[in-house]
Amino acid sequence: MVGGGQLARMTQQAAIALGVRLAVLAARPDDAAAQVIPATTVGDEKAMDDLRIFAKQCDVVTFDHEHVPASHLRGLQAAGVVVRPGPEALIHAQDKGVMRSRLAAAGIPCPRHRIVSDPADVVAFAVELTAGAPPPRDLFGQAAASSPAAGPSGLATPVVLKTTRGGYDGKGVWPVRSADEAAEPFRAGVPVLAEELVDFRRELAAVVARSPSGQAVAYPVVESAQRNGICVEVVAPAPDFPDGLAVEAQRLALAVAAELGVVGVLAVELFETRDGRLLVNELAMRPHNTAHWTIEGAVTSQFENHLRAVLDLPLGSPVAVAPYAVMVNVFGGDPPDMYSAYRHCLSRDPALKIHWYGKEIRPGRKVGHVTVLGEDVNDLRGRARHAADYLRGNIDD
Ligand SMILES: Nc1ncnc2c1ncn2[C@@H]1O[C@H](COP(=O)(O)OP(=O)(O)OP(=O)(O)O)[C@@H](O)[C@H]1O
Ligand SMILES: [Mg+2]
């Protein structure tokens, strides 16, 4: 596995049980996965030589992130290395522009979008969006009539700008209301994708795993909540979600996996619009934060199924083992000593599962997650949120 973060670390738990020898290429010897994986190579995932040396010991190379350049992956393939998912699939998780045009061509529902060249082009795109459409809703907590959109430098409707590459956890994503705000994303000098700002009811994720033989499994569709573009909470399955729509979301994810030839776990991030439609936000081709709940909450975790898939082994059941699972991410707090809070949470709620990534605690950094299973989703939410808040130091007793 290229990348030594928490995803590789959690994959090791599954690898141990399966009897699979997992090796990682980590940037630093103290990375989350490097701490628990003896077969760690420290190297640069962007350096072809490091990748080549690392791959020599591997039957299959897979990833815990999207950052290895496609040209390097093609180079590895040319040298006989088995890369799963392959670069032709992975590009759709690396480049949001490529992903949008491919999915749109395949008839997969996406937000309206196009590549924009400068702030003036963003202004024109916003005008295109409003052609024939009703006036924008109050998306920024302000009355539409008094919003900057009505001002001289305002956009006809708010849009979301995204750098096509390199974004994660909301970095590289800007909701913008004016031509002035639209200047920032162009400063990096990389292509910028503009999208309509979707007035979603909530965000969902449909996670599937697919093997090279074409076997695929779909996990229950989950609701995910983002704060500042970062996933904070996941409820599985998405509450109050009609069965028909859940099946549609699973079919959509399976169709994307087959269409793009994905091998391994594919997470399809979705918007549920207020009028009950599903739109694809983006794709990830690796274990995903929205399926961490599967470690305790499903018969087979996403990490195990990722390994089974990339090794072309039969896949495990994705079925949930409890009516609901709630996962809440733990972020580094201030002050940074979380040990007494950790002891408190273990003792307060013995049914709560804490996952600690072994990362240095820095304010705002994702350092772990908690999961609880049960029947009453409000009770589960309350317990998981309490633990995550307590660990962060947000609760003063
Ligand atoms: N077109 C849109 N309309 C409304 N909100 C959006 C839109 N695109 C993105 N967002 C919001 O911004 C968040 C981050 O966007 P996106 O998932 O594209 O970025 P990312 O930083 O690459 O995320 P990740 O960490 O999942 O890779 C989304 O989860 C959603 O809350
Ligand atoms: Mg995202």
Side-chain angles (χ1 to χ4, degrees):
M1 187 168 256
V2 178
Q6 65 264 23
L7 301 177
R9 181 180 170 109
M10 288 184 271
T11 304
Q12 171 72 336
Q13 291 177 304
I16 290 168
L18 287 172
V20 168
R21 178 175 175 275
L22 181 66
V24 291
L25 178 64
R28 283 168 297 274
D30 61 346
D31 278 352
Q35 295 168 26
V36 299
I37 299 182
T40 291
T41 303
V42 176
D44 178 1
E45 72 228 4
K46 299 226 161 69
M48 193 61 208
D49 283 346
D50 288 10
L51 285 168
R52 211 178 274 126
I53 291 164
F54 171 68
K56 275 210 178 92
Q57 66 185 307
C58 303
D59 297 306
V60 182
V61 170
T62 188
F63 311 93
D64 105 329
H65 59 62
E66 286 74 46
H67 306 317
V68 183
S71 56
H72 287 11
L73 299 179
R74 284 193 293 270
L76 288 179
Q77 284 181 321
V81 176
V82 179
V83 178
R84 290 176 175 158
E88 314 73 31
L90 202 59
I91 188 71
H92 303 91
Q94 294 176 320
D95 188 311
K96 288 175 176 169
V98 173
M99 178 269 292
R100 279 276 174 263
S101 51
R102 177 73 181 270
L103 294 188
I108 306 281
C110 292
R112 289 177 290 167
H113 61 274
R114 74 170 169 81
I115 298 290
V116 284
S117 50
D118 54 32
D121 203 14
V122 177
V123 173
F125 174 70
V127 170
E128 286 164 30
L129 287 178
T130 49
R137 291 174 59 103
D138 174 19
L139 294 168
F140 289 89
Q142 291 159 304
S146 64
S147 89
S153 69
L155 301 178
T157 189
V159 303
V160 177
L161 299 181
K162 301 180 175 185
T163 50
T164 51
R165 285 170 176 262
Y168 67 99
D169 280 352
K171 295 180 186 68
V173 176
W174 294 265
V176 299
R177 289 169 291 181
S178 68
D180 288 350
E181 287 177 357
E184 174 66 24
F186 295 96
R187 297 212 169 98
V190 295
V192 175
L193 176 73
E195 297 180 353
E196 65 178 302
L197 193 149
V198 178
D199 178 24
F200 53 80
R201 178 172 168 237
R202 59 178 163 182
E203 293 184 73
L204 305 164
V207 176
V208 299
R210 182 175 178 276
S211 72
S213 304
Q215 191 193 4
V217 293
Y219 284 99
V221 177
V222 303
E223 175 177 322
S224 71
Q226 272 61 230
R227 202 179 302 133
N228 301 323
I230 303 175
C231 173
V232 290
E233 181 175 305
V234 172
V235 181
D240 305 318
F241 193 45
D243 285 349
L245 219 47
V247 170
E248 188 183 321
Q250 289 178 317
R251 279 188 201 283
L252 201 143
L254 291 168
V256 170
E259 167 77 19
L260 304 183
V262 178
V263 171
V265 166
L266 167 73
V268 180
E269 296 179 8
L270 296 161
F271 299 123
E272 181 188 352
T273 64
R274 292 187 191 279
D275 54 359
R277 288 175 303 129
L278 299 173
L279 300 175
V280 173
N281 174 28
E282 63 160 350
L283 309 178
M285 292 175 199
R286 50 169 171 76
H288 195 248
N289 202 165
T290 59
H292 288 357
W293 67 273
T294 61
I295 296 174
E296 293 88 7
V299 173
T300 314
S301 79
Q302 63 160 345
F303 301 100
E304 178 170 347
N305 264 336
H306 186 74
L307 287 172
R308 287 163 80 142
V310 301
L311 293 166
D312 205 10
L313 294 167
L315 301 178
S317 165
V319 167
V321 299
Y324 284 104
V326 174
M327 187 248 31
V328 176
N329 280 334
V330 178
F331 296 90
D334 192 21
D337 173 24
M338 297 165 100
Y339 185 60
S340 63
Y342 173 83
R343 287 172 54 98
H344 168 88
C345 290
L346 292 173
S347 111
R348 181 182 193 267
D349 190 347
L352 178 97
K353 305 306 286 185
I354 297 187
H355 293 256
W356 214 248
Y357 303 155
K359 289 156 74 168
E360 192 194 324
I361 311 289
R362 287 200 295 267
R365 189 181 200 199
K366 209 186 277 178
V367 293
H369 74 264
V370 297
T371 302
V372 275
L373 309 182
E375 288 179 8
D376 178 345
V377 74
N378 290 324
D379 167 67
L380 299 176
R381 267 199 179 111
R383 283 161 56 201
R385 284 178 188 175
H386 173 90
D389 281 345
Y390 202 95
L391 288 165
R392 190 177 190 165
N394 284 356
I395 295 173
D396 182 2
D397 60 351

